[in-house]
């Protein structure tokens, strides 16, 4: 068994702490969107959310510094760089939620690996909730907006992720449409992951059954050989 690299050790040690930070970030973002605090409370939440976000940026640079081949790692993780850097621009701040979903999905996926139903329910609930917050934050108070309440946002997210889309609720901003595209892609990807996991489980079970049958057949053959040798020995001993 090969020794884990420094990057792998770092990821193992920071996986759950980063997941806790992601949950805290989601809680703060939920308060900001749903209650719309003002004054000192708003400033405290704003500062706390960016402190939490800075930890994700630190994690990116630490993993880059620990990589054996930094150039290759940088090329393979360009998307990670984008979602860390682009939210610094206000119009793209909602891309922070992409990293949030990724961190929580990784932690949840490792915790419930092999439990397809549990993983699916957790991933769908997280995806719909985050998308609902994002679309409400983007569309609310825009002239002509059709999504102005959290209930409407949740309903829109459900119909979008299932690709039903009744049409009476829809985003009118560019950012809102980007969220819709990401939500649809996320839903399709989730279905693909679940389908692949289920197919892999079925193949594994069939392979295990085949191995068990082969072992049983080999045992029966060995038993028959022993019986034949015993009978042959008895025949040779008869006068």
């Amino acid at each position: 068994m090969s020794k884990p690299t420094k990057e792998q050790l770092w990821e193992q040690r920071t996986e759950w702490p980063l997941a806790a930070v992601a949950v805290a970030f989601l809680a703060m973002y939920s308060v900001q969107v749903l209650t719309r605090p003002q004054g000192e409370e708003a400033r405290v939440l704003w500062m706390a959310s960016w402190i939490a976000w800075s930890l994700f940026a630190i994690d990116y640079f630490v993993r880059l510094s620990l990589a054996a081949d930094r150039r290759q790692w940088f090329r393979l993780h360009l998307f990670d760089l984008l979602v860390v850097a682009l939210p610094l621009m206000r119009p793209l701040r909602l891309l922070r939620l992409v990293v949030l979903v990724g961190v929580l999905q990784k932690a949840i996926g490792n915790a419930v690996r092999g439990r397809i139903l549990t993983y699916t329910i957790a991933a769908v609930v997280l995806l719909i909730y985050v998308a609902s917050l994002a679309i409400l934050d983007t569309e609310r108070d825009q002239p002509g907006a059709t999504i102005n309440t959290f209930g409407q946002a949740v309903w829109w997210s459900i119909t979008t992720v299932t690709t039903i889309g009744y049409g009476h609720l829809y985003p009118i901003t560019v950012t809102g449409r980007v969220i819709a595209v990401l939500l649809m892609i996320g839903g399709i990807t989730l279905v693909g992951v679940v389908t692949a996991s289920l197919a892999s489980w079925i193949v594994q079970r069939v392979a295990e059954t085949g191995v068990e049958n082969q072992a049983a057949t080999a045992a029966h053959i060995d038993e028959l050989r022993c019986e034949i040798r015993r009978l042959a020995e008895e025949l040779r001993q008869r006068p």
Side-chain angles (χ1 to χ4, degrees):
M1 185 176 181
S2 59
K3 185 178 180 180
T5 64
K6 292 182 179 179
E7 181 186 356
Q8 292 172 337
L9 290 174
W10 170 264
E11 292 179 350
Q12 292 172 4
R13 293 170 180 171
T14 59
E15 179 179 282
W16 282 105
L18 283 177
V21 173
V23 171
F25 179 86
L26 179 58
M28 290 184 289
Y29 184 72
S30 300
V31 172
Q32 288 175 317
V33 174
L34 299 178
T35 67
R36 308 180 80 173
Q38 302 295 326
E40 186 65 23
E41 183 182 1
R43 286 192 292 272
V44 170
L45 284 173
W46 179 86
M47 183 177 298
S49 63
W50 277 105
I51 290 174
W53 178 250
S54 66
L55 295 176
F56 295 119
I58 291 172
D59 174 66
Y60 171 85
F61 289 109
V62 170
R63 287 189 291 129
L64 174 61
S65 64
L66 294 177
D69 188 339
R70 295 177 183 175
R71 290 186 179 180
Q72 182 179 5
W73 191 95
F74 179 81
R75 289 195 299 268
L76 294 177
H77 295 80
L78 287 176
F79 182 75
D80 291 348
L81 175 61
L82 289 176
V83 296
V84 167
L86 289 180
L88 296 175
M89 306 175 188
R90 183 173 176 79
L92 299 172
R93 66 191 184 279
L94 291 177
L95 285 178
R96 294 177 294 177
L97 298 176
V98 176
V99 172
L100 169 68
V101 173
V103 172
L104 291 179
Q105 186 273 340
K106 182 179 179 182
I108 294 172
N110 290 337
V112 299
R113 183 172 295 167
R115 304 174 189 175
I116 297 176
L117 180 60
T118 304
Y119 172 80
T120 303
I121 294 174
V124 168
V125 170
L126 176 63
L127 186 63
I128 289 175
Y129 180 70
V130 169
S132 299
L133 290 176
I135 199 67
L136 179 62
D137 190 23
T138 303
E139 296 290 308
R140 181 173 50 193
D141 299 332
Q142 294 292 330
T146 62
I147 304 173
N148 295 298
T149 67
F150 186 64
Q152 291 175 334
V154 172
W155 179 251
W156 173 83
S157 297
I158 293 173
T159 58
T160 302
V161 78
T162 56
T163 66
I164 295 175
Y166 289 110
H168 64 291
L169 296 176
Y170 52 88
I172 62 172
T173 63
V174 174
T175 305
R177 291 168 182 168
V178 170
I179 294 171
V181 172
L182 293 176
L183 181 58
M184 287 184 283
I185 293 175
I188 295 171
T189 302
L190 182 61
V191 171
V193 169
V194 172
T195 303
S197 299
L198 182 60
S200 176
W201 178 79
I202 293 174
V203 171
Q204 182 180 359
R205 293 298 299 171
V206 171
E208 290 175 354
T209 303
V211 171
E212 291 175 358
N213 291 337
Q214 290 176 2
T217 302
H220 291 158
I221 293 175
D222 291 338
E223 184 178 350
L224 289 173
R225 287 174 178 172
C226 292
E227 184 65 20
I228 292 172
R229 284 196 295 268
R230 186 183 64 81
L231 292 174
E233 186 65 25
E234 289 181 357
L235 290 174
R236 283 196 299 269
Q237 292 177 358
R238 288 183 180 181

